[in-house]
Amino acid sequence: MTLTELKYIVAVAREKHFGKAAEACFVSQPTLSVAIKKLEEELELKIFERNASEIAITPLGEEIVRQAQTVLEQAASIKEIAKRGKDPLAGPLKLGVIYTIGPYLLPNLVRQVIERTPQMPLMLQENFTVKLLEQLRLGEIDCAILAEPFPDANLAMAPLYDEPFLAAVPVAHPLAQQKTITSEQLKKETMLLLGTGHCFRDHVLEVCPEFARFSNDTEGIRKSFEGSSLETIKHMVAAGMGVTLVPRLSVPGSALDGSPAADQDFGDSSFVRYLPFDGEAPTRRVVLAWRRSFTRFEAIAELRNAIYACELPGVKRLT
């Protein structure tokens, strides 16, 4: 049994395909298949059930793959310990970020990391919360920036900031004349939501549960539309198709400083008004999460420092 063989079975379990797993491991498919067959013969059991259409993991195979992932992490830890003796920050850090945070935090964060720790480049991955949690479990990423709540995956976590939500309405909408808005006022509007899988969709539904149902009743939401990204949703708002909620960091600075120009992009206040909530605003808590077995503590601490060094307008920083 070798670490290479363990790496191969983890790759096949992840990809559910021998050819894709071989590509991910930078070897030929016959090389990968022979190595896995050799391991199965040594263990005297089948790890994978093979047929023409798909690859399935046997019940014992699932346990073996989980243990293989643990062994690979521990082997990687040995290398990390050696690196830390020379430079704790040496080497790339694999960071995952959810879609509704990445575009608004990463440009500033990447610049901060390059300036502060050029020896620790960020390898970035944008995805849904569920997928990032799975990648953390499998060791495909080192840490992730997520928004609570999410399923308990026995991760170490550090709170970063609380981010308020604002309502985005078309500039010609009657609500755009107000200085603030309430969730009650939103109930009668056409609500634009992110598609299923986005955690921010769930956050919006927590603020205004009425948005979860399709209704022609004048007391409820008349219609609900879905978009693939916050920027797509903003364009829909700008076109007058409805209203939505957005996190504070996604709001362009020009939309709040009173200096929009007529030829600016759809995202700013020449087409969209952003209204704070009357009273206590709904918020989401953004956290940094990593596996408890991850040994590069200094890298996590430096990443947190880089995040805190970002501008983060309008959010409440947490320590």
Side-chain angles (χ1 to χ4, degrees):
M1 185 186 306
T2 66
L3 291 176
T4 299
E5 291 168 351
L6 298 183
K7 182 176 73 171
Y8 290 168
I9 64 171
V10 169
V12 172
R14 180 180 67 245
E15 302 292 344
K16 300 294 192 298
H17 190 280
F18 275 78
K20 293 179 180 178
E23 290 179 7
C25 295
F26 303 102
V27 297
S28 67
Q29 183 172 336
T31 297
L32 179 137
S33 298
V34 168
I36 292 178
K37 183 179 180 181
K38 173 178 172 291
L39 179 59
E40 289 178 325
E41 291 174 349
E42 178 182 345
L43 298 175
E44 297 182 348
L45 59 81
K46 288 286 186 182
I47 299 174
F48 302 104
E49 294 288 352
R50 306 159 176 83
N51 58 50
S53 60
E54 62 180 11
I55 302 295
I57 308 176
T58 64
L60 277 177
E62 290 183 353
E63 291 187 38
I64 290 170
V65 168
R66 282 196 296 269
Q67 186 61 38
Q69 180 61 49
T70 299
V71 171
L72 291 172
E73 286 185 15
Q74 292 173 343
S77 295
I78 294 174
K79 294 182 180 179
E80 293 299 335
I81 290 171
K83 285 182 180 178
R84 287 170 60 191
K86 300 176 182 177
D87 183 351
L89 301 177
L93 184 68
K94 294 176 286 187
L95 172 65
V97 188
I98 58 174
Y99 290 117
T100 57
I101 291 178
Y104 316 111
L105 175 63
L106 288 180
N108 198 348
L109 177 58
V110 170
R111 285 194 295 270
Q112 291 291 339
V113 171
I114 290 174
E115 292 176 4
R116 301 166 69 93
T117 53
Q119 74 275 36
M120 188 185 76
L122 293 180
M123 297 178 64
L124 302 172
Q125 166 76 246
E126 268 191 315
N127 221 311
F128 296 113
T129 298
V130 172
K131 181 62 176 176
L132 292 178
L133 290 173
E134 178 68 7
Q135 290 178 324
L136 273 174
R137 185 181 69 81
L138 294 175
E140 295 174 8
I141 57 177
D142 300 320
C143 52
I145 298 175
L146 308 168
E148 292 184 329
F150 50 83
D152 182 9
N154 195 32
L155 298 170
M157 287 188 294
L160 296 174
Y161 54 84
D162 287 339
E163 182 176 21
F165 303 156
L166 282 74
V169 303
V171 72
H173 194 287
L175 290 175
Q177 306 307 313
Q178 301 181 178
K179 293 184 178 181
T180 61
I181 199 167
T182 67
S183 58
E184 285 296 318
Q185 290 175 311
L186 292 172
K187 288 182 180 180
K188 298 178 183 179
E189 301 300 322
T190 298
M191 176 55 56
L192 308 177
L193 297 172
L194 286 172
T196 303
H198 289 277
C199 62
F200 190 71
R201 172 193 176 94
D202 300 327
H203 296 153
V204 173
L205 295 180
E206 286 178 10
V207 175
C208 302
E210 296 82 4
F211 298 167
R213 63 187 174 90
F214 293 80
S215 172
N216 292 318
D217 189 335
T218 56
E219 294 301 315
I221 303 303
R222 291 198 303 270
K223 190 179 293 185
S224 182
F225 295 92
E226 294 185 357
S228 59
S229 73
L230 279 178
E231 295 309 308
T232 298
I233 294 288
K234 288 181 184 179
H235 281 262
M236 295 167 71
V237 171
M241 296 179 64
V243 304
T244 194
L245 298 187
V246 296
R248 173 61 180 82
L249 291 184
S250 74
V251 178
S254 62
L256 297 176
D257 64 10
S259 59
D263 60 348
Q264 288 180 326
D265 187 66
F266 282 124
D268 62 50
S269 56
S270 59
F271 296 93
V272 179
R273 274 292 309 278
Y274 296 92
L275 302 175
F277 277 79
D278 185 23
E280 185 176 356
T283 63
R284 66 175 178 180
R285 173 155 295 184
V286 175
V287 302
L288 178 63
W290 64 96
R291 292 185 309 282
R292 295 184 184 278
S293 60
F294 188 60
T295 59
R296 295 179 64 189
F297 311 115
E298 295 87 352
I300 294 293
E302 193 55 46
L303 177 62
R304 289 181 67 191
N305 290 337
I307 293 170
Y308 290 140
C310 295
E311 293 182 5
L312 306 179
V315 308
K316 179 183 178 182
R317 299 166 188 263
L318 305 171
T319 57

